[in-house]
Structures are given as structure tokens and as C-alpha cells.
Amino acid sequence: MKNFLKGLWKEHPVFRQLLGLCPTLAVTTTAKNGLYMGMAVIFVLVFSCLIVSLIKKIVPNQVRIAVYTVIIATFVTIVDIFFKAYIPEMSKELGPYIPLIIVNCIILGRCEAFASKNSVGKSLIDALGMSLGFTWGLFLLASIRELLGNGTILGITLLPSGYNPLIVMILPAGAFLVLGFLVALMNKIEQAK
Amino acid sequence: MIITAVLTLGLIGFTFAVLLAFLSKKLKVETDPKVDQVNEILPNINCGACGFSGCNPFAEAVVKEGKLFNGCLPGGSQINEEIAKILGITATKSKVEKIVVCRCQAEVGEKKISTTYKGPKTCKASHIVGGAIDCTWGCLGFGDCVKVCPTGALVLKNKRIEVIFDKCIGCGNCVTECPRDLFEYAPFKEKMKLCYVACSNNEKVLGVKAVCSRGCIGCTLCTKVEDSPYEMKGNLSYVNYPEAKNHQSLDAGKNKCPTKCILDLNV
Amino acid sequence: MKDAVKITVVLTFVCAFCAFLLSFVNGAVEERVKANQVAQLQDALNKLSPKAQSVEEVAIGEDLIYKLLDEQKKLIAYGFVALGQGYQDKIKMLVVSDKNLRQLEGIEVLESQETPGLGAKIKEADFLNQFTKKDISRPLECTKLDISKKSEIKAITSATISSRAVVNTLNKRIESMRKQVKSLN
């Protein structure tokens, strides 16, 4: 259980480990984008960790990185194909960031640090926890940016029409700002414990 | 279509595999098996929290120097203990030459606290403004030292630091970390029972009594027993460990102390 | 030596297997992806020129021109794709204009990667409606101020570059289209 929960809070991949920041900053312009990116990562991380953990005993040390990368790239390509075929508008929104999941630190990081050294069951749970944590983190960040920068969340207008949107929130600078505040907030909560 | 894909990627994989196999033989670095052992148990995420540039440099340094440095932070005390085992440094083996004692063991109720401190809950921060307890020499009880102990040998209990001597490996992190320099090295002698003076307050009787009921009041009674290894520096008693020949003299001094601030180190 | 063999076998096998898996998945959805693209174009054509009964595709060089015909198979409008560099990446638009290339029926943005909330507004009706029945006898201009001339398009606030990209791409394509239509007739 603790194995699962740590990815959701204590060892949160974005807010505590500061991993996978590239897609975090780039795709969180709208809550919908953040959510779909999160779901893509859940698929990739869970399946990659599963396979890596299954074959960990037969992979020689020297080709570890190459093998893991090929596996991760395969699953990312599957996600890319799937998006293009069944959710083309999201594929266009997220653009190059879906293929970039291959080099997302979280994926290779978890495969290397955990899945390659633990049982299949534990690796699966760890992957689920981490990727779900990533998803809620992205959703939160994206919601804040969309709300302040556009007055909407998931396209639903929540702020009165008189609200003058903070354009900076939609730009990269806004992403860094909100991320910074969220990391600080999480640190504060942890310290107060 | 499928055949092309399989052949293409298969061929690429084959080529790189051959290259890697060749290079790994050519560029092989001979390593100490202990380094490999340590590397195996490290989390291998190369976070750098230990102060080294990665897990491998940390493993190498630890094996080479035979000490844990700051330990592995994400690994936690469990991994640090295992590393200590590999290196052969544990409190119960004779390799450990020294451990630490905390020279303030007053709990809440024994040390007076008549101020309300509202700053950051760390020893370093509260020390800067004069402390969160009345005694300006004693333990502030926020546990900065607990955070840097790699083996979890320090435990915060009721604003007092208890040292679990079995776990201490004498790395000295707490000595550096404590803003009031409360940690002192004591030699570890497996066969002989030792004591230590659990106070760092160098003021005279009235000054000590005003702030704590467990402090050293400088009465010098401990120094006056037969073959006493205790000596005064100002108004504060210290154990001169090289001079301590037997545990009877240590015990005698300990029993004479009116405030019971001399405690056992190991049993 | 045994190590080297193991290394080679493992990596080669992993690569081969992954390639197999991928080409399998790809083959399974290939039809769907193509159908999506065709459907998107069809929808856009229908939206911009509802009076057309049928579409005839003509290939000129590398481009595909869509002749929109009525019940008597007479030409009533042209549909063509315009591609140009936007702020982030290429912008792909479908343009429908009258058969004389004097007035636009309208444009639809098919693909763009502009900044959501800013440049992405080029996909919205507020911006695109400006192109409905627009006079294109003269090249269009993009302005930040309110429109004062017939040939002006008002840019989206804080998305000048994206707006300009649309207008410039449109102008260039209309020019090349005029030449292509001439070669047709």
C-alpha cells in the first residue's frame, strides 16, 4: 500500500522529485491537455515497468539502457498511434510531447531505479502510484493555469466575464511560476508534519 | 510491412548490441567487489543528495575511505546500515573507534522553557535568536541532528536526543550539525563500562539552577573521588577518557553527582 | 564470449519483438487514421460550401484542388489546402473560394499547433468569420487596429503572429492558385 501511496504524495514525481518537468510545463496550458498527457504516461509507465520487471533477470548490464529505451519507445509509439487514430484532436493538441514521453525522466527513472530491482507485483504498484501522482499533479497545475489564464477549467467558464485573464499563465513563464508555488506549498505541508 | 519493420529494427539492435558488447570488453574498468556490493543496494537514481555526483562515485568513496560521509538520503537508514555492514563498521565491531554522546539530556520539565518561540522549527534557526529554551547552552530539541544521522542512531524523545549507541558509527554528522556543539566523541571500549557528563552549561550554580534541574552546577564532587577521571574546565565537568582506568572510578563520580547529570554510556 | 553473445541476442530479440508489435498495432489502425484525415477534409468542405452537390479532385503538380460542383455538374467553387509556417509549427487551412477567385466562401483551420488560449484562437469562429464572403481581388492585410479597409483582417489580441501567419499563407496560396487555375483552363 505504502508502495502505491508514495507516488501520490511523499515521493511525488513532479512536486517532490522534480522529474518530467518538460511535459509538465509544456502541456499544462489546459486541464484537458494535462489530463490526457497523464493518461498517456499511465499507460506507458505501467506497461514499461511491467515488461522491464519481467525480463530484469535476463538483460545483461551493458545493454540495460538500450533495452529499456526500446521497450519504452515501443509503448510510447503505441500510444501515439492510438491517439492519432481514435482521439486525433488531442493528438494535434499535444503534438510532439507524446513522442517525448520516451525521454521523460520519470519513465526511465522508475524502470531503472525500481522495476529493474523489484518483483513484478511491486513494480506494477509503484508504476501505478507514480503515474497517477503525475496525472493529478498535471491536472492541478493545468487547472490553475487555465483558470487564471482563460477563466475556464476543462472548457467550462468558471470566472465572471468581467475577469481580465492573466495571459502570462498560458505562457511558459506562468508555468514555471505556478509550478514553483506548488512545489513550495508541498514542502511547507511536509515540514509542518 | 511487418517483415521490413522486424528486420530493420532487429538489424539496428544487432549492430548496436555487437558494438556495446565489444566496447564493454575494451573499456572495462576493474572494480573493487565491495564497490559493486554497495552499488547493488543503492537506489541508483544519481540524485546527488549525498554530496557526490552520483551513486557510483559515492560507492567508490565510501569503500575507499571506509566511512559513510552523509549517507544515502533517499536510501534511508536501512540502506545506510547495510552499507555500514559491508564496510565492516558497526558499533558492535572493534572497527568503530569512537561514538558520540549528547551532552544535554534534560527533558521538558527538567529544562525550563519560559519563552514562546514561533520561528522555523529547527535548532539552527532558533539558536540564532537565542534559543527556544531558557538554558543558552542546552539542547533545543528540534532534531536537526536526527535528520543528518545516516543510521538513525539519534532519536528525539520529549525534546531530548537519545543516542542509540549500538547504531552509532561515529561519522560525526551530528557533531557538525548541532549549533550548540552538544555532541562529543567518546571512545568505544567494548569491555569497559563508560560514563559521560550530560551537560554543557558552563555557568555557576545559581545560573544553572535557574534554567535546569539536571545541569552540572560545578560542585566538583565528581573530581574528588579516588582515581577520578573527571576534570573541571571552568564550571563544567568532563570525563578524561584516556585517564579512565576502570569503571569503578567513573561510577563513584557518577553517584556523587547531586543533579544526576552523569549518565552511563554503554552497558 | 558468452557475455557478448547474451548481449547481442537479448538486444536483437527485444528490438525485433518490439518492431513486430508496433507494425501489428500500426496495421490495425492504419485505415482509421486515413479515414480520419479524409473525414476532416470532407467536413470542412461541407461546412464552407453547403450548396455543392459533389466534389471532383484534380491534381496539379503536388497539390490537390477540389472542384465543387452543383447538380448539373457545373463548377461553382474551388476548394484548396493552404500550408504555411505559424508561430509554433505549420498551419494547415482549407480555403473555399468562388470559381473566379474573387471572393472567399470561407476558411477552416485543419491543423495548427499555436499556443492554446492565444494563437489557438485562429480556430475560433470569431476570427474565421472575418473570412466569410471576403473580397480577395486584392491581397489581404492583417491589422492590429479596427478594420478601416475592405481588404483588412483584424488580428487576435496577443496573437498577432499567428493571425498574420494565416493571412500571409492565405495570400500566397491564392496567388499560386490563380496560376494553377489558369493552367487548368
Side-chain angles (χ1 to χ4, degrees), chain C:
Chain C
M1 198 54 213
K2 208 165 73 165
D3 277 344
V5 172
K6 198 172 179 202
I7 291 174
T8 314
V9 167
V10 171
L11 188 54
T12 310
F13 181 73
V14 169
C15 285
F17 182 74
C18 286
F20 174 74
L21 185 64
L22 276 176
S23 44
F24 183 72
V25 173
N26 199 36
V29 299
E30 219 171 15
E31 296 289 312
R32 182 92 196 219
V33 176
K34 284 211 184 86
N36 280 341
Q37 286 177 332
V38 170
Q40 191 198 26
L41 196 65
Q42 203 61 43
D43 285 338
L45 279 170
N46 283 342
K47 186 170 166 195
L48 294 172
S49 183
K51 281 184 288 187
Q53 292 301 317
S54 60
V55 179
E56 190 190 307
E57 276 181 29
V58 179
I60 301 188
E62 286 174 352
D63 296 318
L64 267 179
I65 315 265
Y66 303 96
K67 279 183 167 173
L68 299 165
L69 316 165
D70 63 11
E71 312 88 48
Q72 284 99 26
K73 302 282 176 190
K74 262 198 336 165
L75 176 70
I76 48 170
Y78 280 114
F80 49 100
V81 172
L83 189 66
Q85 183 63 34
Y87 175 65
Q88 291 269 67
D89 203 347
K90 294 243 187 310
I91 300 179
K92 193 175 182 186
M93 310 180 279
L94 179 70
V95 187
V96 174
S97 89
D98 73 326
K99 57 184 176 173
N100 298 318
L101 292 173
R102 290 217 165 274
Q103 191 190 60
L104 290 177
E105 290 290 334
I107 69 169
E108 267 296 301
V109 174
L110 297 172
E111 280 176 26
S112 78
Q113 301 277 18
E114 307 304 281
T115 321
L118 295 172
K121 286 206 163 101
I122 56 171
K123 286 187 185 165
E124 287 173 20
D126 278 339
F127 179 70
L128 293 174
N129 284 342
Q130 296 185 79
F131 295 90
T132 314
K133 304 290 184 201
K134 193 78 178 173
D135 183 337
I136 48 169
S137 44
R138 263 196 279 265
L140 296 176
E141 288 162 38
C142 191
T143 173
K144 290 197 230 184
L145 312 164
D146 286 321
I147 297 179
S148 55
K149 286 190 280 188
K150 237 191 346 176
S151 60
E152 278 181 352
I153 295 282
K154 183 159 159 55
I156 302 169
T157 322
S158 314
T160 325
I161 298 180
S162 300
S163 312
R164 276 210 191 112
V166 170
V167 171
N168 290 340
T169 308
L170 186 62
N171 284 337
K172 276 206 198 95
R173 187 68 186 96
I174 293 172
E175 265 310 298
S176 67
M177 185 62 182
R178 284 190 221 275
K179 293 198 191 98
Q180 284 172 329
V181 166
K182 263 211 193 93
S183 74
L184 264 181
N185 304 330

Side-chain angles (χ1 to χ4, degrees), chain B residues 68-256:
Chain B
L68 270 182
F69 297 94
N70 287 321
C72 173
L73 198 61
S77 51
Q78 197 199 354
I79 288 194
N80 286 322
E81 273 171 29
E82 284 179 44
I83 298 177
K85 269 206 204 95
I86 295 173
L87 298 176
I89 49 171
T90 55
T92 51
K93 294 214 175 102
S94 51
K95 270 270 178 87
V96 171
E97 284 148 17
K98 55 183 200 277
I99 55 172
V100 289
V101 291
C102 179
R103 291 188 60 126
C104 173
Q105 292 292 297
E107 292 189 353
V108 174
E110 290 165 343
K111 53 187 177 191
K112 288 208 177 67
I113 302 177
S114 49
T115 60
T116 315
Y117 172 72
K118 281 197 176 165
K121 292 187 171 41
T122 67
C123 306
K124 284 220 167 87
S126 56
H127 179 67
I128 291 174
V129 296
I133 61 173
D134 286 19
C135 176
T136 55
W137 310 76
C139 174
L140 293 156
F142 287 118
D144 282 10
C145 51
V146 179
K147 291 197 185 91
V148 296
C149 176
T151 56
L154 299 178
V155 179
L156 186 60
K157 280 187 186 167
N158 216 5
K159 289 221 170 261
R160 166 182 81 91
I161 296 293
E162 182 177 304
V163 182
I164 304 173
F165 298 115
D166 287 336
K167 285 192 175 181
C168 178
I169 54 169
C171 69
N173 287 349
C174 52
V175 177
T176 323
E177 191 72 4
C178 179
R180 292 194 159 180
D181 295 322
L182 292 174
F183 289 96
E184 194 181 67
Y185 288 112
F188 186 80
K189 291 189 177 148
E190 256 186 288
K191 302 292 179 207
M192 186 168 125
K193 193 175 86 118
L194 291 171
C195 295
Y196 68 103
V197 180
C199 179
S200 305
N201 190 323
N202 204 348
E203 295 184 36
K204 291 192 187 144
V205 185
L206 294 175
V208 175
K209 279 273 177 203
V211 297
C212 183
S213 59
R214 286 288 294 273
C216 173
I217 54 174
C219 65
T220 76
L221 283 174
C222 53
T223 63
K224 300 208 164 78
V225 297
E226 199 185 326
D227 285 334
S228 175
Y230 296 93
E231 58 186 23
M232 302 302 293
K233 291 185 191 167
N235 299 303
L236 185 56
S237 171
Y238 287 77
V239 175
N240 188 334
Y241 290 102
E243 290 285 315
K245 298 285 187 271
N246 51 54
H247 75 87
Q248 284 94 337
S249 52
L250 283 167
D251 264 349
K254 172 182 157 198
N255 293 330
K256 282 279 179 184

Side-chain angles (χ1 to χ4, degrees), chain A:
Chain A
M1 194 69 226
K2 212 170 86 164
N3 198 16
F4 174 74
L5 289 176
K6 72 176 194 271
L8 292 178
W9 185 264
K10 263 196 182 263
E11 288 180 35
H12 193 275
V14 176
F15 298 134
R16 298 240 86 204
Q17 295 186 63
L18 289 235
L19 294 175
L21 293 185
C22 174
T24 306
L25 296 167
V27 309
T28 51
T29 42
T30 62
K32 192 175 177 194
N33 288 359
L35 199 58
Y36 274 87
M37 171 57 80
M39 296 198 288
V41 168
I42 293 175
F43 177 83
V44 174
L45 189 59
V46 167
F47 280 97
S48 299
C49 283
L50 174 70
I51 304 292
V52 167
S53 185
L54 272 171
I55 65 172
K56 64 180 178 285
K57 292 256 154 71
I58 59 171
V59 176
N61 214 29
Q62 300 89 331
V63 282
R64 213 179 59 238
I65 297 177
V67 169
Y68 297 167
T69 309
V70 171
I71 293 170
I72 295 169
T74 305
F75 286 112
V76 172
T77 312
I78 292 178
V79 167
D80 191 32
I81 294 175
F82 182 81
F83 267 60
K84 282 202 170 89
Y86 294 100
I87 4 180
E89 68 289 353
M90 281 324 290
S91 172
K92 297 210 177 90
E93 275 287 317
L94 294 171
Y97 290 101
I98 302 241
L100 279 176
I101 297 175
I102 302 175
V103 291
N104 185 328
C105 304
I106 299 175
I107 319 284
L108 195 61
R110 281 341 272 178
C111 283
E112 176 81 25
F114 201 89
S116 64
K117 299 183 181 158
N118 288 279
S119 69
V120 177
K122 275 198 192 158
S123 303
L124 257 176
I125 296 177
D126 172 83
L128 260 171
M130 287 284 159
S131 53
L132 280 170
F134 180 73
T135 306
W136 82 248
L138 247 63
F139 185 69
L140 178 66
L141 181 56
S143 299
I144 296 175
R145 286 180 71 195
E146 193 187 340
L147 186 65
L148 295 176
N150 208 29
T152 62
I153 293 185
L154 289 175
I156 311 167
T157 314
L158 288 173
L159 292 178
S161 55
Y163 174 70
N164 208 3
L166 275 152
I167 302 287
V168 71
M169 283 293 146
I170 305 188
L171 298 174
F176 277 102
L177 285 169
V178 180
L179 179 65
F181 275 116
L182 285 175
V183 174
L185 183 66
M186 212 162 172
N187 272 322
K188 177 102 190 151
I189 297 175
E190 278 297 300
Q191 244 186 16
K193 280 192 184 167

